């Protein structure tokens, strides 16, 4: 029995990989219900959008690419649903090359469902390089920094931009990212623009200090953040569905850690017993 | 908010008429060739300067360039004599940023070109880079500037190929690589988390709470504690949130202060050209 327990600390990695893939597939196929709590940070973003004045523009900063699509796409989709549902006009900008394109695909899909139109309900400012200098210029003049949208239409000719004169007409900026780009927004945008973020789980812990300081008005972290926001919206989409495999994967990690430690203690016990026997024999 | 419109900056009117204007056709080609000529001339003059004079000149230029944003930050309220250049400078920096794409391309082609030319170990991977690179460039430009599909939503040959390469392959391969982390993290956590000391036990305890608190299944474990009771804090989701927003946040704030002070020191050293080996220290 002790021998078997000792073996628990050296489980073959292929068995571990097999268990991970097996549990993920099982959880994706088996739609079992799970409760969903909402963090104060997600609640805060939801309330900020709810209380946003109708004439204010929302800017979605799509600073993510295909690599982090797994987490960033459900986060973006959840917030876009809220914006379309509340008829809040928004513009997309991106400091990652693929971000605006991938976000546009999400928005176009939802625009069909909500009957939203490009130019009237949303527009795309496109990909920009050099985040700091772009934001610095944007804070001074939106039109001189971004003279036209991705389709080549002058911003003055985009209907929803007619009432947006400058940065003071931007009520909220929500950044979606898998990297540490938040500081540039906090540094360069005036305090009149509220800033919120949706980020991958691995970046999350770095962003919490900005919630405490009041510089972030909301934070959605990883797939859990998407699930929380979907719960607030009363929908079940990608984020909620992903909570099942994530739950089982977390449980698997915990079980494996416990087994590994049991194996380690068994090995230590065996070592002590052998030592004691050796001492008794001498 | 547009402070750049309130008063023109020093010589801004002259520059806005002669420099900050988009050019088209032959004027654009002429300006481009002229710029190359002036840049080449400047480079030649710089090379001809004695090393000490060159170093002093570069240090002065670096200091003056760095001063722009420093002045803008400390003297921003109603704008300063240079505020009008904020947007043109931002555009200039963005254009400069785009050059990084070309630089990266040259670097990649040099490294992989050498590998293919010398048939060094793994050269086939370098050949795959060239194949992938040329395929996406050719089909990308072809679908953008070639014949457009007749029916909306349909694809031309080039459009279809680009869709397969970009959406079908690249956009799937990147998340695939990222998702492999799930397997490695599980395996690494199993091997690394061993309770060998009090600190390790503390870390493991916090990790268990956060891992369980982050997922709904963790909530089920403490769902018997009423959410509005005095013990609600001990529900796993609340404990996990407290660890993240309290304990972990305080630690990250400390790290943040440290890195920001380090960055400040590094920026000052770069700005004042105190870094060794900076700005043409060696002969060109």
């Amino acid at each position: 029995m002790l021998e078997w327990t000792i073996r628990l600390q050296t489980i073959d990695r292929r068995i571990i990989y097999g268990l991970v893939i097996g549990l993920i597939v099982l959880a994706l196929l088996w739609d079992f219900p799970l409760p969903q709590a909402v963090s104060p940070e997600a609640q805060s973003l939801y309330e900020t959008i709810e209380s946003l004045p109708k004439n204010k523009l929302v800017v979605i900063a799509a600073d993510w690419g295909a690599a982090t699509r797994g987490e960033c796409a459900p986060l973006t989709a959840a917030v876009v649903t809220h914006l379309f549902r509340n008829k809040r006009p928004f513009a997309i900008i991106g400091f990652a090359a693929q971000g605006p394109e991938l976000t546009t695909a999400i928005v176009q899909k939802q625009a069909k469902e909500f009957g939203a139109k490009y130019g009237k309900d949303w527009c795309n400012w496109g990909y920009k390089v050099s985040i700091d200098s772009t934001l610095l210029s944007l804070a001074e003049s939106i039109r001189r920094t971004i003279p036209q949208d991705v389709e080549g239409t002058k911003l003055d000719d985009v209907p929803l931009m007619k009432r947006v004169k400058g940065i003071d007409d931007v009520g909220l900026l929500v950044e979606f990212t898998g990297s540490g780009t938040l500081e540039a927004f906090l540094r360069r945008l005036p305090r009149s623009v509220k800033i919120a973020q949706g980020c991958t789980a691995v970046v999350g812990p770095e962003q919490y200090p900005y919630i405490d300081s009041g510089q972030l008005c909301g934070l959605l972290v990883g797939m859990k953040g998407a699930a929380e926001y979907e719960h607030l919206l009363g929908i079940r989409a990608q984020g909620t569905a992903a909570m099942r495999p994530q739950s089982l994967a977390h449980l698997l990690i915990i079980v494996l850690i416990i087994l590994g430690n049991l194996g380690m203690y068994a090995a230590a016990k065996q070592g002590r017993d052998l030592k004691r026997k050796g001492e008794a024999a001498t | 908010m547009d402070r750049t419109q309130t008063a023109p900056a020093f010589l801004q009117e002259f520059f806005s008429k002669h420099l900050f204007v988009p050019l088209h056709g032959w004027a654009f080609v002429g300006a481009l060739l002229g710029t190359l000529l002036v840049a080449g001339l400047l480079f030649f003059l710089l090379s001809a300067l004695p090393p000490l004079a060159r170093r002093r000149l570069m240090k002065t230029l670096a200091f003056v360039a760095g001063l722009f944003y420093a002045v803008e930050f400390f003297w921003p309220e109603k704008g300063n004599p240079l505020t009008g250049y904020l947007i043109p400078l931002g555009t200039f920096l963005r254009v400069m940023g785009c050059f990084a794409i070309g630089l990266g391309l040259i670097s990649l082609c040099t490294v992989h070109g050498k590998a293919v030319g010398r048939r060094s170990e793994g050269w086939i991977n370098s050949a795959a880079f060239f194949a992938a690179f040329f395929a996406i460039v050719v089909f990308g430009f072809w679908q953008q500037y070639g014949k457009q599909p007749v029916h909306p939503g349909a694809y031309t040959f080039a459009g279809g190929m680009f869709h397969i390469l970009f959406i079908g392959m690249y956009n799937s391969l990147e998340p695939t690589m990222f998702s492999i982390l799930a397997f490695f993290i599980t395996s690494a956590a199993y091997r690394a988390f061993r309770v060998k000391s009090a600190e390790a036990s503390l870390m493991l305890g916090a990790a268990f709470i956060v891992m369980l608190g982050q997922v709904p299944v963790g909530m089920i474990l403490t769902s018997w504690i009423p959410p509005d009771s005095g013990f609600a804090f001990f529900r796993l989701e609340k404990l996990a949130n407290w660890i993240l927003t309290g304990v972990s946040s305080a630690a990250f704030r400390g790290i943040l202060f440290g890195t920001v002070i380090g960055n400040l020191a590094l920026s000052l050293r770069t700005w004042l050209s105190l870094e060794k080996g900076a700005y043409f220290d060696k002969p060109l």
Side-chain angles (χ1 to χ4, degrees), chain B residues 20 51 179 196 199 232 250 268:
Chain B
F20 306 146
S179 63
K196 288 179 179 170
E199 291 90 340
L268 268 175

Side-chain angles (χ1 to χ4, degrees), chain A residues 8-11 16 35 37 41 67 69 98 129 134 136 139-141 144 210 212 224 250 256 261 265, chain B residues 1-4 69 86 94 170-171 175 178 190-191 193-195 211 214-216 219 241 249 253 256:
Chain A
L8 288 176
Q9 63 173 342
T10 52
I11 299 173
I16 294 173
E41 298 81 39
R69 196 179 59 188
Q98 295 174 316
V129 291
T134 302
L136 203 61
E140 294 298 334
S141 168
R144 290 176 67 200
Y210 299 112
D212 289 342
K224 177 180 167 267
H250 281 203
L256 284 171
N261 279 286
Y265 282 116
Chain B
M1 188 65 206
D2 192 351
R3 293 175 299 131
T4 57
Y69 281 116
L86 204 59
R94 284 198 295 283
Y170 181 73
N171 272 5
F178 206 68
Y190 160 68
R191 276 166 229 293
F193 275 122
R194 295 282 195 261
V195 184
M211 270 198 285
Q214 290 287 84
V215 288
M219 277 176 60
N241 196 262
S249 181
R253 203 176 292 125
L256 207 64

Side-chain angles (χ1 to χ4, degrees), chain A residues 6-24:
Chain A
I6 291 168
R7 281 190 193 179
L8 288 176
Q9 63 173 342
T10 52
I11 299 173
D12 192 283
R13 68 175 190 279
R14 284 163 293 192
I15 296 173
I16 294 173
Y17 296 166
L19 284 170
V20 172
I21 193 84
L23 279 178
I24 288 172

Side-chain angles (χ1 to χ4, degrees), chain A residues 25-217:
Chain A
V25 169
L26 176 77
L28 287 172
L29 294 175
W30 179 27
D31 186 5
F32 53 90
L34 283 171
Q36 183 61 57
V38 176
S39 66
E41 298 81 39
Q43 184 75 43
S44 172
L45 174 57
Y46 181 84
E47 280 164 13
T48 304
I49 293 179
E50 284 290 310
S51 60
L52 208 62
K54 288 268 182 196
N55 57 343
K56 294 279 184 185
L57 180 79
V58 177
V59 175
I60 290 181
D63 301 335
W64 53 282
T68 51
R69 196 179 59 188
E71 286 173 288
C72 289
L75 285 169
T76 309
V79 173
V80 166
T81 304
H82 195 189
L83 295 174
F84 273 145
R85 191 185 277 183
N86 283 23
K87 297 196 188 306
R88 305 277 179 212
F90 65 91
I92 301 165
I93 191 171
F95 297 98
Q98 295 174 316
E101 194 179 339
L102 293 169
T103 303
T104 301
I106 294 168
V107 173
Q108 279 173 337
K109 197 176 162 194
Q110 293 207 15
K112 277 183 194 167
E113 290 170 30
F114 287 95
K117 286 201 171 83
Y118 182 85
K120 183 173 161 279
D121 302 294
W122 66 286
C123 70
N124 188 353
W125 292 348
Y127 163 62
K128 304 284 168 220
V129 291
S130 184
I131 186 166
D132 269 291
S133 62
T134 302
L135 291 175
L136 203 61
S137 305
L138 202 71
E140 294 298 334
S141 168
I142 292 176
R143 275 170 179 72
R144 290 176 67 200
T145 311
I146 303 160
Q148 53 193 27
D149 68 357
V150 281
E151 295 184 356
T153 312
K154 277 189 175 177
L155 279 205
D156 284 326
D157 299 333
V158 176
L160 84 89
M161 289 303 296
K162 281 185 179 153
R163 58 174 180 248
V164 180
K165 302 294 174 208
I167 198 75
D168 293 334
D169 295 314
V170 175
L172 173 71
L173 181 137
V174 194
E175 193 211 14
F176 296 99
T177 186
S179 51
T181 41
L182 178 70
E183 283 86 352
F185 292 93
L186 301 175
R187 266 197 306 263
R188 301 302 181 199
L189 293 182
R191 293 300 292 265
S192 61
V193 180
K194 289 180 180 169
I195 299 171
Q197 196 190 44
C199 62
T200 52
V202 74
V203 181
E206 289 172 43
Q207 319 299 352
Y208 283 106
Y210 299 112
I211 286 279
D212 289 342
S213 65
Q215 286 167 288
L216 272 186
C217 68

Side-chain angles (χ1 to χ4, degrees), chain A residues 256-272:
Chain A
L256 284 171
I257 291 171
I258 292 169
L259 290 180
N261 279 286
L262 278 177
M264 187 187 74
Y265 282 116
K269 186 178 181 301
Q270 192 186 46
R272 279 197 303 273

Side-chain angles (χ1 to χ4, degrees), chain B residues 92-106:
Chain B
F92 168 76
L93 288 174
R94 284 198 295 283
V95 172
M96 288 295 286
C98 291
F99 277 94
I101 297 171
L103 204 64
L105 206 60
I106 292 167

